[in-house]
Amino acid sequence: MDPRHYVAAYLERLYLDAHHDLTPAARGLVHEDIAARPEKYASSEHAQALVAYAQCHTRLITALDRLDDLPDGEFERKRGELFEGARIEFFKIAENDRLCIDARLVGNLLSNIPLDACISELMDLEQRSHEYLAGSVEGFSDEASQFWTDRAVAAWLERPGSTNAFDSAPTADERARYARERMTVAEPALIGWLHTLEAISQLCLASARYHAASDYARRVRRAAGYPNRAEGTVFLALARLEDEDGFFTFAHELEAEAGTDAPKLLDDSPWFLLARTLLLYKLGRRKPARRALRDFVARCDGGAFFLLNPTYMTPYLPVRPEPRHAWGRTHQAVWEADGIIADTPDFAAWAESIEGVYDESERFADRNGF
């Protein structure tokens, strides 16, 4: 989640808690002003640390984007300098405020340490973050629905303007879900913890810890108000484990949760479509694997190209970012599956041999200037 979004939500929560008598119009103006000038509303040291982190993160991503067109040698040098400078900034913020979890998380991800050591650091951060949430954040509970107790939800719904987002009278379930979503977004420690869980799950996938990757990703999926595609990590892990029953049971669980949106959720998911192809191929079921591959190529813009042409992707800082191109999610899915693809004998060559796959790869490259 973009820190500018959740830091602004946190600052808005604090301000509205201290100004109960604002009219709806005034609350709207406050919302806009906080988004534009968050530092004006950061009255505590913790709020100032969060704003500093959000600004540092924005500078890092903006500067990284400017490196794209540099020659390879200069790109590596400039990126190394950028990462080191940002790492130092993040660690300074984290040292001054240990509750700025994302600053510590991104600092660790930018550190030039072995993968296993990085996972160990993140697991320690996850444990400390969770201890804080369980002991100090009222209403947080591992046993509660989407991590928030019914009592905390009821208290939130008593706040002035709590349901202004609804055009008509919401049901009790709609009110409760909306409350949980807003509570999550406005609690930076919870967002930092979820970011840490998601980062661990992705690093576990990259280091062949497939059961752990799936377990951490499933925890991430429990949260409301935290946009993610953690189900993609679960699908890739189950495909690598050749767990066909688990794979399709999980798909059915998602369909049940999504209701009428289920077809879109799975049919448009490059993680599901690619993982299904890998699973069927690894199980030796070549005909359904071919159909699954063609489905992946047809439904996922860039699927053929990224599968046949492994393409560099900027490290996740801290987790899978929102894509800026139509083919962004496809690139992410194939990038995350790289280790599984490399560990599946002849898969890439087999995919290229399927009629139409190479031609579609070339057409995509021509359309997009690759």
Side-chain angles (χ1 to χ4, degrees), residues 74-357:
E74 188 176 0
F75 173 84
E76 292 293 338
R77 180 177 63 81
K78 291 281 190 181
R79 191 186 70 162
E81 293 173 355
L82 176 62
F83 281 2
E84 179 61 13
R87 183 187 68 80
I88 292 171
E89 283 194 73
F90 287 131
F91 276 139
K92 286 180 179 178
I93 294 170
E95 284 301 312
N96 290 330
D97 186 345
R98 294 187 175 274
L99 290 182
C100 192
I101 296 165
D102 269 344
R104 176 68 64 177
L105 171 59
V106 180
N108 281 324
L109 292 174
L110 292 174
S111 299
N112 189 23
I113 59 176
L115 183 57
D116 285 357
C118 187
I119 292 175
S120 179
E121 290 284 343
L122 298 197
M123 290 179 70
D124 180 65
L125 178 61
E126 185 276 323
Q127 181 179 359
R128 288 187 283 112
S129 304
H130 183 267
E131 287 175 354
Y132 168 76
L133 289 167
S136 302
V137 175
E138 186 176 357
F140 174 86
S141 172
D142 286 307
E143 287 72 39
S145 173
Q146 299 166 330
F147 299 117
W148 293 109
T149 64
D150 292 341
R151 182 176 178 180
V153 169
W156 191 92
L157 288 170
E158 293 177 358
R159 294 158 49 97
S162 63
T163 56
N164 284 352
F166 293 96
D167 294 328
S168 57
T171 66
D173 287 345
E174 288 172 338
R175 284 164 53 87
R177 180 171 183 83
Y178 178 73
R180 288 186 167 92
E181 290 174 352
R182 299 311 304 162
M183 292 164 69
T184 295
V185 174
E187 181 48 70
L190 179 52
I191 297 296
W193 177 64
L194 292 169
H195 278 161
T196 305
L197 288 175
E198 192 171 355
I200 294 172
S201 77
Q202 291 165 344
L203 292 179
C204 285
L205 186 71
S207 58
R209 296 172 170 91
Y210 301 114
H211 289 290
S214 178
D215 290 344
Y216 279 108
R218 287 174 187 265
R219 290 175 74 188
V220 171
R221 291 196 65 258
R222 285 186 54 201
Y226 176 73
N228 67 86
R229 298 305 297 264
E231 75 278 358
T233 303
V234 179
F235 279 128
L236 289 174
L238 293 173
R240 175 59 183 83
L241 293 168
E242 300 180 30
D243 183 357
E244 183 176 9
D245 289 341
F247 185 94
F248 288 105
T249 295
F250 181 61
H252 293 323
E253 290 173 4
L254 293 187
E255 289 176 331
E257 290 176 11
T260 57
D261 293 331
K264 180 177 176 59
L265 175 68
L266 294 181
D267 291 350
D268 293 345
S269 169
W271 289 276
F272 169 73
L273 298 169
L274 175 59
R276 183 179 62 175
T277 304
L278 281 161
L279 173 66
L280 294 170
Y281 179 87
K282 290 174 70 65
L283 293 174
R285 296 163 59 184
R286 293 295 186 266
K287 286 185 178 180
R290 281 199 298 273
R291 290 193 293 270
L293 174 63
R294 291 189 177 118
D295 206 17
F296 169 67
V297 169
R299 291 180 178 275
C300 301
D301 191 25
F305 176 82
F306 293 114
L307 194 56
L308 304 187
N309 302 275
T311 305
Y312 171 79
M313 174 167 278
T314 300
Y316 295 164
L317 300 169
V319 294
R320 186 185 291 128
E322 193 65 25
R324 289 174 289 179
H325 304 284
W327 40 263
R329 293 208 186 280
T330 305
H331 189 189
Q332 289 175 347
V334 179
W335 178 259
E336 292 165 25
D338 182 68
I340 299 172
I341 292 170
D343 197 36
T344 304
D346 302 322
F347 177 78
W350 167 80
E352 186 171 355
S353 73
I354 301 302
E355 183 180 358
V357 173

Side-chain angles (χ1 to χ4, degrees), residues 7-9 11-12 15 29-38 41:
V7 171
L11 296 175
E12 184 174 344
Y15 189 87
L29 290 174
V30 167
H31 176 81
E32 294 176 2
D33 198 39
I34 290 177
R37 297 184 294 171
Y41 296 84

